[in-house]
Amino acid sequence: MASESGDDQQLKLYSYWRSSCSFRVRIALNLKGLKYEYKAVNLLKGEQFSPEFTKLNPIGYVPVLVDGDIVVADSFAILIYLEDKYPQHPLLPQDLQKKAINYQAANIVSSSIQPLQNLAILKYIEEKVSPEEKLEWAKVHIGKGFAALEELLNNYAGRYATGDEVFLADLFLAPQLYAAIGRFHVDMVLLILFLCQLHCSKCAFVLDCAHLYLSDL
C-alpha cells in the first residue's frame, strides 16, 4: 500500500482510486476542508487482504478512515462519523423530511446498486457464468436503482439532489453516475434528458455531481 502526504496530518484514508465508496468519503473530506493522508490500497493486486489492512477492516473493503486512535470502516459509517465530529459544511439538511430522503437515496446506492457491481461479485459472475454476463448484470441493477432514484428525487431536486446545496445523497450519486457511464457504459442519456425536461436546474445537478467526482481524479 502506498501513501501520499506529510506526517503532520492526523486523518488517514485507506482508499482505491476507482472505488465509488472511497470517492464518497474523499468528496466529504474535501467539502469539509479536512486535510488527510491518502493511503492507496490496490484492490487489483489484492492489497485489501494483506494482514496490515485486514487488521483495520477484517472484511477487506475500502475505505477505512483512521482518526488518531479511532478506526472507522465502511463509507456510510465514515460519513456519519465525519458529520458528527466535523460539523462544517453539513452533509445533512435540518429539514427532517429532506434528511430522510438523503438517507433513503444514499441507501439505494449503497445497498441496492453498488454492492451488486463490486469487484468480488463481478469476478464471481465472470468465473461462474461468463465475462460478458458480468457487464449485463451490472447494467440491469444500475438501471433499476437509478429508476428508483429518479422517482424518489423527482419532487426534491433543485440544483442538487435534494435542493440547492450538496448533501449526503449527492456524495453517493456522483460516483455512481460516473461509474455507470465510464465503467459500465450504461446509457444515461434518457435519464439526463428527462431531468432536463422536468427542470433545467436538475441538469446542473447531474453535471456538478460529475464535476465533484472528476475533480478528485
Side-chain angles (χ1 to χ4, degrees):
M1 292 182 287
S3 64
E4 300 174 8
S5 85
D7 298 329
D8 58 340
Q9 297 176 348
Q10 183 182 26
L11 292 172
K12 295 180 181 179
L13 180 67
Y14 291 79
S15 173
Y16 178 60
W17 71 271
R18 199 171 64 177
S19 163
S20 59
C21 299
S22 299
F23 252 112
R24 301 166 192 164
V25 177
R26 297 208 298 272
I27 293 172
L29 289 166
N30 288 331
L31 285 173
K32 289 181 174 292
L34 298 172
K35 294 182 178 180
Y36 62 97
E37 180 180 354
Y38 184 93
K39 305 282 283 185
V41 182
N42 192 320
L43 303 187
L44 298 182
K45 292 182 178 180
E47 292 179 351
Q48 69 272 31
F49 302 120
S50 69
E52 177 188 355
F53 187 77
T54 53
K55 185 177 180 181
L56 298 172
N57 187 10
I59 201 169
Y61 290 162
V62 292
V64 173
L65 182 78
V66 178
D67 187 3
D69 295 330
I70 298 174
V71 179
V72 187
D74 185 88
S75 63
F76 219 128
I78 293 170
L79 292 171
I80 298 305
Y81 172 81
L82 291 174
E83 181 72 350
D84 288 341
K85 184 170 182 180
Y86 304 99
Q88 65 270 29
H89 196 112
L91 301 178
L92 290 165
Q94 291 295 314
D95 182 86
L96 287 178
Q97 186 176 18
K98 285 190 175 182
K99 183 182 289 187
I101 293 297
N102 271 271
Y103 280 131
Q104 190 174 344
N107 268 304
I108 288 175
V109 175
S110 65
S111 299
S112 301
I113 303 179
Q114 190 279 327
L116 300 172
Q117 65 173 48
N118 71 18
L119 189 62
I121 295 296
L122 295 180
K123 184 178 180 181
Y124 183 87
I125 293 173
E126 182 177 12
E127 291 175 351
K128 299 297 182 180
V129 186
S130 72
E132 295 77 18
E133 189 60 32
K134 71 174 184 179
L135 185 60
E136 292 306 311
W137 165 274
K139 285 182 176 180
V140 166
H141 292 289
I142 291 170
K144 181 180 177 181
F146 271 108
L149 287 164
E150 180 182 312
E151 184 69 23
L152 174 68
L153 300 174
N154 185 29
N155 295 321
Y156 297 94
R159 183 171 179 81
Y160 300 101
T162 58
D164 293 330
E165 296 181 65
V166 175
F167 286 126
L168 187 72
D170 303 293
L171 273 59
F172 283 76
L173 283 168
Q176 188 58 60
L177 279 166
Y178 179 80
I181 298 169
R183 183 180 174 193
F184 297 106
H185 311 296
V186 177
D187 185 359
M188 304 295 287
V189 173
L190 292 178
L191 172 64
I192 294 172
L193 289 175
F194 177 76
L195 294 176
C196 289
Q197 289 172 352
L198 286 175
H199 200 293
C200 288
S201 65
K202 294 181 185 179
C203 291
F205 153 63
V206 174
L207 294 173
D208 286 351
C209 280
H211 176 72
L212 277 172
Y213 188 92
L214 290 167
S215 64
D216 206 30
L217 285 175

